[in-house]
Amino acid sequence: GSEMCIRDSAKGTLAWQGALSLNMHHDGGFSYDFTLASDMAAAELILPEPFSLSATQESPFNAKVSGQLNQSTINATLGEQLSFYGVLNHEQEQFSRAHLVLGDETMLLPMDGFHITAKLDQAKVSQWQPLILDILESLDSGAKAQSGHSLLAQPERIRGSVGSLDIVGQKLSDVSFN
């Protein structure tokens, strides 16, 4: 396990198991597959519902990374409520394609750029606004690769739906945003 603290959204110990398969090709190239799994039992996620996770809760986290010299493809899921797909270009040191899905939504065919899709039964703007601003700020000034670029670019598109949206105590039903 290793200690983690991602800004103010996660803390605790991440106990995980993984397996790495490395294939050396006869022409000098290589490819690899890496799988990682955790029950998140000792980790805490301080996120808006339904993505929060106390240190006593368990939720399966699975990730698969496969790639070769030029790029890696990452697929990760946390329970049934959060999934991520990304294609990391090693030369540019940035995701050429990335899709974050929040809630019970089908992931679309991957497109260039960073896309966020959400489908939530209910949400409070007061909980989500600080997190969204934090994410956007981290994209501007956060972890930079050696190339000087952020791993993730500003989102190309953010779309989704919320069954019941609370805006400063006012409830709106069947909200779609794009």
Side-chain angles (χ1 to χ4, degrees), residues 20-81:
L20 173 66
S21 298
L22 181 61
N23 306 300
M24 306 300 290
H25 300 270
H26 67 276
D27 60 1
F30 70 93
S31 60
Y32 71 93
D33 290 287
F34 175 68
T35 58
L36 181 148
S38 173
D39 61 9
M40 301 292 285
E44 184 176 0
L45 295 180
I46 304 144
L47 298 170
E49 294 295 339
F51 308 105
S52 65
L53 190 65
S54 73
T56 58
Q57 289 178 299
E58 292 186 9
S59 184
F61 173 75
N62 293 285
K64 180 177 180 181
V65 184
S66 59
Q68 56 281 328
L69 181 63
N70 297 325
Q71 71 179 27
S72 298
T73 301
I74 300 168
N75 279 285
T77 59
L78 178 62
E80 297 179 358
Q81 291 293 322

Side-chain angles (χ1 to χ4, degrees), residues 92-157:
Q92 295 176 349
E93 299 181 41
Q94 188 175 48
F95 282 96
S96 58
R97 294 178 177 181
H99 193 175
L100 177 64
V101 179
L102 307 169
D104 183 21
E105 177 70 299
T106 303
M107 184 173 283
L108 300 175
L109 290 174
M111 297 173 283
D112 288 346
F114 180 28
H115 297 258
I116 301 173
T117 305
K119 185 177 181 183
L120 304 173
D121 291 335
Q122 55 188 10
K124 289 185 177 180
V125 170
S126 60
Q127 291 181 349
W128 280 98
Q129 186 177 14
L131 178 65
I132 291 168
L133 294 176
D134 194 35
I135 290 170
L136 294 175
E137 180 185 331
S138 70
L139 292 175
D140 283 334
S141 61
K144 304 277 185 188
Q146 289 182 355
S147 62
H149 298 296
S150 296
L151 281 175
L152 286 168
Q154 291 280 359
E156 289 280 333
R157 185 178 183 193

Side-chain angles (χ1 to χ4, degrees), residues 122-124 163-175:
Q122 55 188 10
K124 289 185 177 180
S164 176
L165 182 64
D166 185 305
I167 302 177
V168 198
Q170 300 297 312
K171 293 197 188 269
L172 302 178
S173 299
D174 299 323
V175 176

